[in-house]
Amino acid sequence: MPLRKIIIDTDPGQDDAVAILLALASPDEIEVLGITAVAGNVPLALTQKNARMVCELAGRPDMRVFAGCDAPLRRKLITAEHVHGKTGLDGPTLPDPTMPLCDGHAVDFLVDTLRTEPAGSVTLCALGPLTNIATALQKAPDIAPRIAQIVLMGGAYFEVGNITPTAEFNIYVDPEAAEQVFACGAPLTVMPLDVTHKALVTAERNAAIRALGTPAGLAVAQMTDFFERFDREKYGSDGAPLHDPCVTAWLIRPDLFAGRHINVEIETASDLTLGMTVADWWRVSGRAPNATFMGDLDADGFFALLTERLGRL
Ligand code: RIB
Ligand code: CA
């Protein structure tokens, strides 16, 4: 498999952290050009700090981490401390980062990198609200055709909403940004709740991660111990859903996933359904497909991959 160059746009978040660790543990498949933090699960001051803490946990204090947008394009920031805790990375006790935050805005890093790297060679992996990416597209429309792919965690169809009855958090926080990203023309692969709710860290799976006996393995086990209580209480889930690691796992093992190439539009007008991903799963709208929308996952294969790769850190 050729090496894939990626930028991870993220709002860590325990599940973001696991996605980042998986990417950094897979240098034969993935070259992380940089990490761009966005406000989402917790405010930007924490997401950029958490991103650096995760890089140091992975033994990568050299990684370039940039701070991006601290609020959605047009709306007030909504955060998710009720899920992720007040730090955004509750669970393990990780040391404050010593690696520096890079100078410059994350949006400029996105634009400059996409303009500098060969066209079609950089994949954007979006794990949070799409504010940074939408802002980059607004600032530099010329980057859209240069993006190889956008692989994002967001949305839902059969699973409907996790922050409102109809909307998933990443899309709901900045629906106008999502609308722009889904319309930008770059090839989209979407990991909605329909598939991420099948990536449950059961007690057995978490025990296998903890049994790695490494700082990263222990930290991930402690993150999911904390992170799972929201979904257990709400859905009766048998463990935490690892939403964002579906994005980086897909880069390594796309065969673990199944979905459909369909039309997906974003609700931005109705207060009742704001942020809903209107996924034409049954292809009844006649609207042109714009996204590969995942619906199924080989969960055992996913966790075997994740555990093996975490064991490399
Ligand atoms: O709805 C789940 C998504 O929202 C995940 O990316 C999680 O980290 C939060 O950002
Ligand atoms: Ca996230």
Side-chain angles (χ1 to χ4, degrees):
M1 172 185 287
L3 194 63
R4 190 189 283 256
K5 293 179 186 176
I6 73 170
I7 296 173
I8 300 175
D9 192 72
T10 180
D11 65 333
Q14 290 88 348
D15 59 320
D16 302 68
V18 181
I20 294 167
L21 291 171
L22 176 55
L24 296 178
S26 306
D28 294 338
E29 295 95 347
I30 297 171
E31 178 185 358
V32 181
L33 299 178
I35 295 176
T36 51
V38 67
N41 285 321
V42 287
L44 179 67
L46 285 172
T47 58
Q48 59 90 341
K49 175 185 174 188
N50 292 343
R52 289 184 286 145
M53 288 163 68
V54 174
C55 288
E56 291 186 337
L57 178 64
R60 290 297 309 274
D62 61 302
M63 180 53 59
R64 291 183 291 180
V65 176
F66 296 84
C69 299
D70 62 3
L73 296 180
R74 287 175 30 195
R75 297 176 186 273
K76 185 175 175 301
L77 177 63
I78 293 168
T79 53
E81 286 88 349
H82 63 291
V83 178
H84 300 275
K86 65 179 174 37
T87 71
L89 273 188
D90 283 28
T93 302
L94 297 175
D96 283 351
T98 56
M99 64 184 279
L101 181 69
C102 288
D103 293 335
H105 197 285
V107 168
D108 294 326
F109 173 71
L110 285 161
V111 172
D112 296 346
T113 304
L114 285 164
R115 283 178 170 165
T116 307
E117 293 291 334
S121 67
V122 177
T123 296
L124 303 185
C125 295
L127 311 180
L130 292 164
T131 316
N132 283 345
I133 296 174
T135 304
L137 288 164
Q138 284 176 344
K139 183 169 186 176
D142 59 286
I143 65 172
R146 300 182 65 85
I147 301 170
Q149 276 186 295
I150 300 175
V151 189
L152 68 92
M153 190 280 140
Y157 180 58
F158 293 102
E159 283 292 289
V160 289
N162 63 356
I163 189 76
T164 74
T166 57
E168 177 278 327
F169 179 80
N170 286 341
I171 308 300
Y172 181 69
V173 168
D174 199 340
E176 285 76 18
E179 183 177 50
Q180 289 183 38
V181 170
F182 276 72
C184 78
L188 291 184
T189 297
V190 179
M191 296 290 167
L193 297 178
D194 303 44
V195 70
T196 68
H197 278 179
K198 296 175 180 175
L200 297 179
V201 189
T202 61
E204 182 185 357
R205 287 165 176 164
N206 208 27
I209 291 170
R210 192 186 307 273
L212 291 171
T214 59
L218 178 59
V220 168
Q222 291 170 330
M223 284 181 201
T224 48
D225 281 342
F226 178 87
F227 173 58
E228 72 171 15
R229 80 209 185 294
F230 172 78
D231 289 83
R232 277 190 185 279
E233 286 165 21
K234 176 169 184 171
Y235 295 100
S237 304
D238 183 19
L242 281 188
H243 306 289
D244 295 334
C246 288
V247 169
T248 41
W250 183 82
L251 299 177
I252 303 164
R253 287 281 309 277
D255 60 293
L256 294 174
F257 298 83
R260 290 184 182 182
H261 191 57
I262 60 172
N263 176 268
V264 181
E265 304 292 337
I266 310 297
E267 176 61 69
T268 57
S270 158
D271 288 341
L272 182 63
T273 56
L274 185 69
M276 181 177 187
T277 47
V278 182
D280 189 8
W281 185 261
W282 304 110
R283 298 188 177 105
V284 295
S285 72
R287 292 191 292 263
N290 60 338
T292 299
F293 197 82
M294 294 300 177
D296 209 358
L297 164 73
D298 169 358
D300 288 337
F302 171 81
F303 279 97
L305 171 71
L306 176 62
T307 307
E308 186 273 323
R309 294 297 162 103
L310 288 175
R312 297 185 184 187
L313 295 176

